[in-house]
Amino acid sequence: MTHILDGKALAAEIRAELKTRVDRLAARGHRPGLAVILVGDDCASQVYVRNKIKACADTGITSLEFRMPADTSEEALLAKIAELNADPAVDGILVQMPVPRHIDARKVIDAIAPEKDVDGFHVCNAGALMIGKPGFLPCTPYGVMKLLEKAGCSIEGKHAVIVGRSNIVGKPQALLLLSKNATVTVAHSRTADLGAVTRTADILIAAVGRSKLITADMVKPGAVVIDVGMNRDENGRLCGDVDFAAVAPVAGAITPVPGGVGPMTIAMLLTNTVEAVERRLG
Ligand code: NDP
């Protein structure tokens, strides 16, 4: 029978464990603080920010929310980040992406102090991952690794295919799987015959942003299928990149959307925030 990888349940376990660590830090005189900056009024971003702030509250992490109008200048945003970098009450800084087009996202990310970059997007943290040094791992691929670990999925020697090569999901996911000795293939929009590639995957990770891109005939029987995608279907319902109903009977294990990778991303953001404090305090 197909194993459903329950990200919601695992995220709840991780949050409960984090709460104990947060209480311990608070008893030592420092409650972890996460600053969340939202520029503009993108609806999806507002939902993501609300969920992150709620998760902080559930775990005992202090959240500081900064809403800036869509016409905020790059200079003003960089000044806010500099202020938060210098604030000892702030352990983690997150700028919700995407930022408005007139702002250079890379410049913004790299303005965050690497030791407060709990999203793991800063060039220093990306470089640390690349060469296998400690740093902050990007939350979504980190959450996927935790899901695979919890499911007891063996990675070493397996063929992992990742569809998508973004800096925040596909590429770091490939590096993390490589570090666990998987043989990794990264597919993307220019990949010829995507199905022929995905059918060779023991572990298939879809991080594209196209509903039902991955169909049953593209999956090797028994494969572990992780669906990172977050899309809306024709009825406006949240769905992933994988045609869940058709693929689940073929797969050995599969994540649902919602309730799979999404909650794990937030749990790993909180984990990074708590780790930022623990590293600083020793
Ligand atoms: P990007 O748009 O940055 O990257 C998408 C990738 O998919 C690109 O590498 C692109 O290729 C590739 N691609 C596009 N079309 C195809 C195709 N037809 N066949 C094969 N590859 C294709 O997206 P993100 O990585 O930021 O996000 C991917 C998805 O994951 C989105 O749905 C997003 O909402 C979701 N997401 C979910 C999170 C969660 O917590 N669950 C967190 C972050 C993202 P190319 O490089 O050639 O353009």
Side-chain angles (χ1 to χ4, degrees):
M1 212 179 75
T2 311
H3 181 186
I4 305 295
L5 303 173
D6 188 341
K8 199 171 165 192
L10 179 55
E13 264 179 47
I14 291 172
R15 286 211 304 264
E17 188 256 337
L18 282 175
K19 190 164 185 334
T20 314
R21 282 159 69 185
V22 169
D23 290 345
R24 217 178 291 139
L25 289 166
R28 287 174 66 189
H30 186 90
R31 183 170 291 281
L34 175 68
V36 181
I37 305 177
L38 174 61
V39 187
D41 44 22
D42 178 74
C43 289
S45 293
Q46 289 188 31
V47 174
Y48 297 149
V49 165
R50 205 181 312 137
N51 289 343
K52 288 168 187 174
I53 285 175
K54 186 179 174 307
C56 280
D58 291 347
T59 321
I61 294 173
T62 303
S63 60
L64 302 132
E65 191 182 348
F66 300 93
R67 286 180 177 249
M68 304 177 86
D71 62 357
T72 298
S73 67
E74 185 177 282
E75 201 185 6
L77 178 55
L78 294 175
K80 172 54 76 184
I81 292 170
E83 182 191 314
L84 296 170
N85 280 342
D87 186 341
V90 172
D91 303 291
I93 303 172
L94 177 163
V95 180
Q96 184 63 47
M97 294 293 156
V99 286
R101 285 235 281 262
H102 65 277
I103 296 175
D104 179 346
R106 180 39 60 193
K107 210 164 160 185
V108 167
I109 292 165
D110 289 340
I112 297 170
E115 65 277 12
K116 294 191 178 188
D117 168 42
V118 287
D119 253 340
F121 296 163
H122 191 286
V123 69
C124 288
N125 285 314
L129 170 59
M130 174 82 189
I131 60 167
K133 289 280 176 204
F136 288 116
L137 299 176
C139 304
T140 301
Y142 189 10
V144 168
M145 298 307 285
K146 288 282 172 193
L147 268 171
L148 292 173
E149 189 184 301
K150 174 76 180 182
C153 171
S154 74
I155 296 175
E156 181 160 325
K158 294 292 182 330
H159 185 205
V161 174
I162 300 149
V163 189
R165 56 174 164 182
S166 71
N167 288 337
I168 64 167
V169 189
K171 281 185 207 161
Q173 191 72 72
L175 291 168
L176 285 171
L177 286 160
L178 195 58
S179 74
K180 295 289 178 195
N181 299 319
T183 302
V184 179
T185 299
V186 181
H188 45 78
S189 68
R190 314 291 169 89
T191 297
D193 197 351
L194 182 63
V197 177
T198 57
R199 270 191 294 278
T200 64
D202 303 305
I203 300 169
L204 175 60
I205 301 185
V208 175
R210 303 236 167 141
S211 48
K212 298 190 182 169
L213 177 76
I214 305 296
T215 49
D217 60 309
M218 295 168 79
V219 176
K220 184 196 315 201
V224 175
V225 179
I226 306 284
D227 192 352
V228 176
M230 284 212 289
N231 316 299
R232 295 276 162 194
D233 69 10
E234 55 282 8
N235 302 312
R237 278 192 300 256
L238 191 63
C239 69
D241 292 341
V242 176
D243 183 351
F244 184 88
V247 171
V250 180
I254 188 168
T255 57
V257 177
V261 176
M264 290 302 296
T265 297
I266 297 186
M268 302 331 289
L269 171 72
L270 304 178
T271 300
N272 280 346
T273 305
V274 172
E275 266 175 27
V277 186
E278 290 173 344
R279 279 182 206 173
R280 186 162 55 81
L281 298 184

PDB file of all heavy atoms in Angstrom, residues 140 163-166 168-169 188-190 194 207-210 213 228-231 261-262 265, ligand 1:
ATOM      1  N   THR A 140      12.732  24.677   2.418  1.00  0.00           N
ATOM      2  CA  THR A 140      11.943  23.667   1.700  1.00  0.00           C
ATOM      3  C   THR A 140      12.763  22.388   1.442  1.00  0.00           C
ATOM      4  O   THR A 140      12.325  21.292   1.817  1.00  0.00           O
ATOM      5  CB  THR A 140      11.361  24.251   0.399  1.00  0.00           C
ATOM      6  OG1 THR A 140      10.544  25.362   0.763  1.00  0.00           O
ATOM      7  CG2 THR A 140      10.526  23.239  -0.357  1.00  0.00           C
ATOM      8  N   VAL A 163      12.817  17.744 -10.514  1.00  0.00           N
ATOM      9  CA  VAL A 163      12.324  18.526 -11.644  1.00  0.00           C
ATOM     10  C   VAL A 163      12.195  19.965 -11.142  1.00  0.00           C
ATOM     11  O   VAL A 163      11.394  20.252 -10.254  1.00  0.00           O
ATOM     12  CB  VAL A 163      10.976  17.990 -12.175  1.00  0.00           C
ATOM     13  CG1 VAL A 163      10.622  18.694 -13.486  1.00  0.00           C
ATOM     14  CG2 VAL A 163      11.027  16.483 -12.374  1.00  0.00           C
ATOM     15  N   GLY A 164      13.022  20.848 -11.700  1.00  0.00           N
ATOM     16  CA  GLY A 164      13.092  22.242 -11.229  1.00  0.00           C
ATOM     17  C   GLY A 164      14.498  22.542 -10.762  1.00  0.00           C
ATOM     18  O   GLY A 164      15.130  21.690 -10.112  1.00  0.00           O
ATOM     19  N   ARG A 165      15.007  23.722 -11.120  1.00  0.00           N
ATOM     20  CA  ARG A 165      16.400  24.060 -10.776  1.00  0.00           C
ATOM     21  C   ARG A 165      16.516  25.459 -10.177  1.00  0.00           C
ATOM     22  O   ARG A 165      17.470  26.193 -10.447  1.00  0.00           O
ATOM     23  CB  ARG A 165      17.286  23.949 -12.009  1.00  0.00           C
ATOM     24  CG  ARG A 165      16.815  24.814 -13.171  1.00  0.00           C
ATOM     25  CD  ARG A 165      17.785  24.814 -14.326  1.00  0.00           C
ATOM     26  NE  ARG A 165      17.157  25.318 -15.533  1.00  0.00           N
ATOM     27  CZ  ARG A 165      17.758  25.398 -16.706  1.00  0.00           C
ATOM     28  NH1 ARG A 165      19.014  25.024 -16.827  1.00  0.00           N
ATOM     29  NH2 ARG A 165      17.120  25.870 -17.762  1.00  0.00           N
ATOM     30  N   SER A 166      15.506  25.849  -9.374  1.00  0.00           N
ATOM     31  CA  SER A 166      15.583  27.189  -8.774  1.00  0.00           C
ATOM     32  C   SER A 166      16.632  27.207  -7.669  1.00  0.00           C
ATOM     33  O   SER A 166      17.020  26.156  -7.139  1.00  0.00           O
ATOM     34  CB  SER A 166      14.222  27.593  -8.206  1.00  0.00           C
ATOM     35  OG  SER A 166      13.945  26.829  -7.052  1.00  0.00           O
ATOM     36  N   ILE A 168      16.122  28.314  -4.745  1.00  0.00           N
ATOM     37  CA  ILE A 168      15.552  28.088  -3.411  1.00  0.00           C
ATOM     38  C   ILE A 168      15.071  26.647  -3.206  1.00  0.00           C
ATOM     39  O   ILE A 168      14.926  26.210  -2.082  1.00  0.00           O
ATOM     40  CB  ILE A 168      14.414  29.090  -3.080  1.00  0.00           C
ATOM     41  CG1 ILE A 168      13.219  28.927  -4.013  1.00  0.00           C
ATOM     42  CG2 ILE A 168      14.924  30.510  -3.122  1.00  0.00           C
ATOM     43  CD1 ILE A 168      11.987  29.680  -3.495  1.00  0.00           C
ATOM     44  N   VAL A 169      14.807  25.929  -4.283  1.00  0.00           N
ATOM     45  CA  VAL A 169      14.363  24.537  -4.109  1.00  0.00           C
ATOM     46  C   VAL A 169      15.251  23.547  -4.899  1.00  0.00           C
ATOM     47  O   VAL A 169      15.999  22.779  -4.304  1.00  0.00           O
ATOM     48  CB  VAL A 169      12.875  24.335  -4.519  1.00  0.00           C
ATOM     49  CG1 VAL A 169      12.429  22.927  -4.095  1.00  0.00           C
ATOM     50  CG2 VAL A 169      11.954  25.369  -3.903  1.00  0.00           C
ATOM     51  N   HIS A 188      14.618  20.211 -16.013  1.00  0.00           N
ATOM     52  CA  HIS A 188      14.101  21.587 -16.064  1.00  0.00           C
ATOM     53  C   HIS A 188      13.295  21.780 -17.337  1.00  0.00           C
ATOM     54  O   HIS A 188      13.013  20.789 -18.040  1.00  0.00           O
ATOM     55  CB  HIS A 188      15.267  22.586 -15.961  1.00  0.00           C
ATOM     56  CG  HIS A 188      16.415  22.220 -16.831  1.00  0.00           C
ATOM     57  ND1 HIS A 188      16.415  22.459 -18.184  1.00  0.00           N
ATOM     58  CD2 HIS A 188      17.564  21.559 -16.546  1.00  0.00           C
ATOM     59  CE1 HIS A 188      17.537  21.988 -18.701  1.00  0.00           C
ATOM     60  NE2 HIS A 188      18.256  21.431 -17.731  1.00  0.00           N
ATOM     61  N   SER A 189      12.983  23.029 -17.658  1.00  0.00           N
ATOM     62  CA  SER A 189      12.062  23.271 -18.780  1.00  0.00           C
ATOM     63  C   SER A 189      12.661  22.890 -20.138  1.00  0.00           C
ATOM     64  O   SER A 189      11.937  22.696 -21.096  1.00  0.00           O
ATOM     65  CB  SER A 189      11.615  24.735 -18.802  1.00  0.00           C
ATOM     66  OG  SER A 189      12.698  25.559 -19.137  1.00  0.00           O
ATOM     67  N   ARG A 190      13.987  22.781 -20.210  1.00  0.00           N
ATOM     68  CA  ARG A 190      14.618  22.421 -21.494  1.00  0.00           C
ATOM     69  C   ARG A 190      14.976  20.940 -21.556  1.00  0.00           C
ATOM     70  O   ARG A 190      15.646  20.509 -22.495  1.00  0.00           O
ATOM     71  CB  ARG A 190      15.888  23.250 -21.723  1.00  0.00           C
ATOM     72  CG  ARG A 190      15.757  24.727 -21.452  1.00  0.00           C
ATOM     73  CD  ARG A 190      14.858  25.418 -22.469  1.00  0.00           C
ATOM     74  NE  ARG A 190      14.551  26.767 -22.012  1.00  0.00           N
ATOM     75  CZ  ARG A 190      15.279  27.837 -22.271  1.00  0.00           C
ATOM     76  NH1 ARG A 190      16.356  27.732 -23.007  1.00  0.00           N
ATOM     77  NH2 ARG A 190      14.922  29.022 -21.806  1.00  0.00           N
ATOM     78  N   LEU A 194      10.988  14.547 -20.679  1.00  0.00           N
ATOM     79  CA  LEU A 194      10.978  14.565 -19.205  1.00  0.00           C
ATOM     80  C   LEU A 194      10.542  13.212 -18.630  1.00  0.00           C
ATOM     81  O   LEU A 194      11.133  12.716 -17.663  1.00  0.00           O
ATOM     82  CB  LEU A 194      10.041  15.689 -18.725  1.00  0.00           C
ATOM     83  CG  LEU A 194       9.946  15.897 -17.222  1.00  0.00           C
ATOM     84  CD1 LEU A 194      11.286  16.307 -16.632  1.00  0.00           C
ATOM     85  CD2 LEU A 194       8.886  16.952 -16.884  1.00  0.00           C
ATOM     86  N   ALA A 207       9.398  20.225  -8.325  1.00  0.00           N
ATOM     87  CA  ALA A 207       9.426  21.604  -7.807  1.00  0.00           C
ATOM     88  C   ALA A 207       9.357  22.544  -8.995  1.00  0.00           C
ATOM     89  O   ALA A 207      10.342  23.176  -9.373  1.00  0.00           O
ATOM     90  CB  ALA A 207      10.689  21.827  -6.983  1.00  0.00           C
ATOM     91  N   VAL A 208       8.185  22.611  -9.596  1.00  0.00           N
ATOM     92  CA  VAL A 208       8.018  23.314 -10.863  1.00  0.00           C
ATOM     93  C   VAL A 208       7.030  24.474 -10.764  1.00  0.00           C
ATOM     94  O   VAL A 208       7.325  25.617 -11.130  1.00  0.00           O
ATOM     95  CB  VAL A 208       7.560  22.310 -11.964  1.00  0.00           C
ATOM     96  CG1 VAL A 208       7.269  23.037 -13.271  1.00  0.00           C
ATOM     97  CG2 VAL A 208       8.635  21.247 -12.178  1.00  0.00           C
ATOM     98  N   GLY A 209       5.820  24.163 -10.272  1.00  0.00           N
ATOM     99  CA  GLY A 209       4.781  25.179 -10.259  1.00  0.00           C
ATOM    100  C   GLY A 209       3.788  24.988 -11.402  1.00  0.00           C
ATOM    101  O   GLY A 209       3.245  25.952 -11.927  1.00  0.00           O
ATOM    102  N   ARG A 210       3.567  23.723 -11.806  1.00  0.00           N
ATOM    103  CA  ARG A 210       2.570  23.401 -12.846  1.00  0.00           C
ATOM    104  C   ARG A 210       1.717  22.247 -12.362  1.00  0.00           C
ATOM    105  O   ARG A 210       2.239  21.137 -12.152  1.00  0.00           O
ATOM    106  CB  ARG A 210       3.250  22.929 -14.131  1.00  0.00           C
ATOM    107  CG  ARG A 210       4.187  23.923 -14.650  1.00  0.00           C
ATOM    108  CD  ARG A 210       3.848  24.297 -16.068  1.00  0.00           C
ATOM    109  NE  ARG A 210       4.623  25.485 -16.370  1.00  0.00           N
ATOM    110  CZ  ARG A 210       5.204  25.722 -17.498  1.00  0.00           C
ATOM    111  NH1 ARG A 210       5.058  24.884 -18.483  1.00  0.00           N
ATOM    112  NH2 ARG A 210       5.905  26.819 -17.682  1.00  0.00           N
ATOM    113  N   LEU A 213       1.676  18.205 -13.691  1.00  0.00           N
ATOM    114  CA  LEU A 213       2.756  17.993 -14.671  1.00  0.00           C
ATOM    115  C   LEU A 213       3.228  16.533 -14.628  1.00  0.00           C
ATOM    116  O   LEU A 213       3.534  15.934 -15.651  1.00  0.00           O
ATOM    117  CB  LEU A 213       3.932  18.935 -14.365  1.00  0.00           C
ATOM    118  CG  LEU A 213       5.153  18.762 -15.260  1.00  0.00           C
ATOM    119  CD1 LEU A 213       4.931  19.375 -16.634  1.00  0.00           C
ATOM    120  CD2 LEU A 213       6.407  19.373 -14.633  1.00  0.00           C
ATOM    121  N   VAL A 228       6.610  19.318  -4.285  1.00  0.00           N
ATOM    122  CA  VAL A 228       6.879  20.630  -3.668  1.00  0.00           C
ATOM    123  C   VAL A 228       5.912  21.688  -4.210  1.00  0.00           C
ATOM    124  O   VAL A 228       5.636  22.685  -3.556  1.00  0.00           O
ATOM    125  CB  VAL A 228       8.350  21.055  -3.932  1.00  0.00           C
ATOM    126  CG1 VAL A 228       8.632  22.441  -3.394  1.00  0.00           C
ATOM    127  CG2 VAL A 228       9.315  20.052  -3.321  1.00  0.00           C
ATOM    128  N   GLY A 229       5.377  21.456  -5.379  1.00  0.00           N
ATOM    129  CA  GLY A 229       4.552  22.466  -6.066  1.00  0.00           C
ATOM    130  C   GLY A 229       3.383  22.974  -5.243  1.00  0.00           C
ATOM    131  O   GLY A 229       2.798  22.234  -4.448  1.00  0.00           O
ATOM    132  N   MET A 230       3.086  24.238  -5.411  1.00  0.00           N
ATOM    133  CA  MET A 230       1.901  24.830  -4.774  1.00  0.00           C
ATOM    134  C   MET A 230       1.178  25.628  -5.846  1.00  0.00           C
ATOM    135  O   MET A 230       1.624  26.716  -6.221  1.00  0.00           O
ATOM    136  CB  MET A 230       2.310  25.736  -3.621  1.00  0.00           C
ATOM    137  CG  MET A 230       2.712  24.954  -2.387  1.00  0.00           C
ATOM    138  SD  MET A 230       2.326  25.797  -0.869  1.00  0.00           S
ATOM    139  CE  MET A 230       3.500  27.096  -0.893  1.00  0.00           C
ATOM    140  N   ASN A 231       0.118  25.059  -6.343  1.00  0.00           N
ATOM    141  CA  ASN A 231      -0.624  25.677  -7.447  1.00  0.00           C
ATOM    142  C   ASN A 231      -2.104  25.697  -7.096  1.00  0.00           C
ATOM    143  O   ASN A 231      -2.523  25.099  -6.111  1.00  0.00           O
ATOM    144  CB  ASN A 231      -0.426  24.845  -8.717  1.00  0.00           C
ATOM    145  CG  ASN A 231       1.015  24.413  -8.911  1.00  0.00           C
ATOM    146  OD1 ASN A 231       1.898  25.261  -9.030  1.00  0.00           O
ATOM    147  ND2 ASN A 231       1.286  23.116  -8.907  1.00  0.00           N
ATOM    148  N   VAL A 261       4.836  18.972   1.909  1.00  0.00           N
ATOM    149  CA  VAL A 261       6.058  19.774   2.046  1.00  0.00           C
ATOM    150  C   VAL A 261       5.773  21.153   2.686  1.00  0.00           C
ATOM    151  O   VAL A 261       6.606  21.663   3.444  1.00  0.00           O
ATOM    152  CB  VAL A 261       6.730  19.946   0.660  1.00  0.00           C
ATOM    153  CG1 VAL A 261       7.940  20.856   0.744  1.00  0.00           C
ATOM    154  CG2 VAL A 261       7.135  18.580   0.102  1.00  0.00           C
ATOM    155  N   GLY A 262       4.625  21.731   2.401  1.00  0.00           N
ATOM    156  CA  GLY A 262       4.314  23.089   2.890  1.00  0.00           C
ATOM    157  C   GLY A 262       4.528  23.264   4.391  1.00  0.00           C
ATOM    158  O   GLY A 262       5.297  24.146   4.813  1.00  0.00           O
ATOM    159  N   THR A 265       8.197  23.251   5.410  1.00  0.00           N
ATOM    160  CA  THR A 265       8.975  24.464   5.113  1.00  0.00           C
ATOM    161  C   THR A 265       8.916  25.414   6.314  1.00  0.00           C
ATOM    162  O   THR A 265       9.941  25.950   6.751  1.00  0.00           O
ATOM    163  CB  THR A 265       8.411  25.153   3.854  1.00  0.00           C
ATOM    164  OG1 THR A 265       8.579  24.258   2.754  1.00  0.00           O
ATOM    165  CG2 THR A 265       9.124  26.455   3.550  1.00  0.00           C
TER     166      THR A 265
HETATM  167  P1  NDP B   1      10.695  28.600 -10.088  1.00  0.00           P
HETATM  168  O1  NDP B   1       9.664  29.163 -10.987  1.00  0.00           O
HETATM  169  O2  NDP B   1      11.791  29.451  -9.572  1.00  0.00           O
HETATM  170  O3  NDP B   1      11.361  27.332 -10.797  1.00  0.00           O
HETATM  171  C1  NDP B   1      10.606  26.420 -11.500  1.00  0.00           C
HETATM  172  C2  NDP B   1      11.489  25.404 -12.154  1.00  0.00           C
HETATM  173  O4  NDP B   1      10.671  24.516 -12.910  1.00  0.00           O
HETATM  174  C3  NDP B   1      12.483  26.005 -13.138  1.00  0.00           C
HETATM  175  O5  NDP B   1      13.757  25.431 -12.949  1.00  0.00           O
HETATM  176  C4  NDP B   1      11.911  25.642 -14.511  1.00  0.00           C
HETATM  177  O6  NDP B   1      12.891  25.398 -15.502  1.00  0.00           O
HETATM  178  C5  NDP B   1      11.201  24.341 -14.200  1.00  0.00           C
HETATM  179  N1  NDP B   1      10.123  24.094 -15.170  1.00  0.00           N
HETATM  180  C6  NDP B   1       9.163  24.945 -15.578  1.00  0.00           C
HETATM  181  N2  NDP B   1       8.344  24.341 -16.456  1.00  0.00           N
HETATM  182  C7  NDP B   1       8.806  23.081 -16.599  1.00  0.00           C
HETATM  183  C8  NDP B   1       8.391  21.968 -17.371  1.00  0.00           C
HETATM  184  N3  NDP B   1       7.335  22.032 -18.169  1.00  0.00           N
HETATM  185  N4  NDP B   1       9.096  20.836 -17.280  1.00  0.00           N
HETATM  186  C9  NDP B   1      10.172  20.741 -16.481  1.00  0.00           C
HETATM  187  N5  NDP B   1      10.616  21.766 -15.707  1.00  0.00           N
HETATM  188  C10 NDP B   1       9.929  22.916 -15.771  1.00  0.00           C
HETATM  189  O7  NDP B   1       9.876  27.934  -8.887  1.00  0.00           O
HETATM  190  P2  NDP B   1      10.295  27.568  -7.367  1.00  0.00           P
HETATM  191  O8  NDP B   1      11.426  26.616  -7.370  1.00  0.00           O
HETATM  192  O9  NDP B   1      10.389  28.798  -6.569  1.00  0.00           O
HETATM  193  O10 NDP B   1       8.962  26.824  -6.911  1.00  0.00           O
HETATM  194  C11 NDP B   1       8.510  25.654  -7.577  1.00  0.00           C
HETATM  195  C12 NDP B   1       7.145  25.295  -7.019  1.00  0.00           C
HETATM  196  O11 NDP B   1       7.279  24.997  -5.636  1.00  0.00           O
HETATM  197  C13 NDP B   1       6.099  26.400  -7.099  1.00  0.00           C
HETATM  198  O12 NDP B   1       4.817  25.804  -7.252  1.00  0.00           O
HETATM  199  C14 NDP B   1       6.154  27.046  -5.724  1.00  0.00           C
HETATM  200  O13 NDP B   1       4.943  27.680  -5.367  1.00  0.00           O
HETATM  201  C15 NDP B   1       6.421  25.831  -4.876  1.00  0.00           C
HETATM  202  N6  NDP B   1       7.066  26.106  -3.608  1.00  0.00           N
HETATM  203  C16 NDP B   1       6.547  25.469  -2.541  1.00  0.00           C
HETATM  204  C17 NDP B   1       7.103  25.619  -1.315  1.00  0.00           C
HETATM  205  C18 NDP B   1       6.516  24.864  -0.195  1.00  0.00           C
HETATM  206  O14 NDP B   1       6.769  25.205   0.952  1.00  0.00           O
HETATM  207  N7  NDP B   1       5.734  23.808  -0.447  1.00  0.00           N
HETATM  208  C19 NDP B   1       8.226  26.533  -1.085  1.00  0.00           C
HETATM  209  C20 NDP B   1       8.785  27.087  -2.310  1.00  0.00           C
HETATM  210  C21 NDP B   1       8.190  26.879  -3.522  1.00  0.00           C
HETATM  211  P3  NDP B   1      13.864  26.554 -16.066  1.00  0.00           P
HETATM  212  O15 NDP B   1      14.896  26.753 -15.013  1.00  0.00           O
HETATM  213  O16 NDP B   1      14.399  25.957 -17.321  1.00  0.00           O
HETATM  214  O17 NDP B   1      13.008  27.767 -16.289  1.00  0.00           O
END
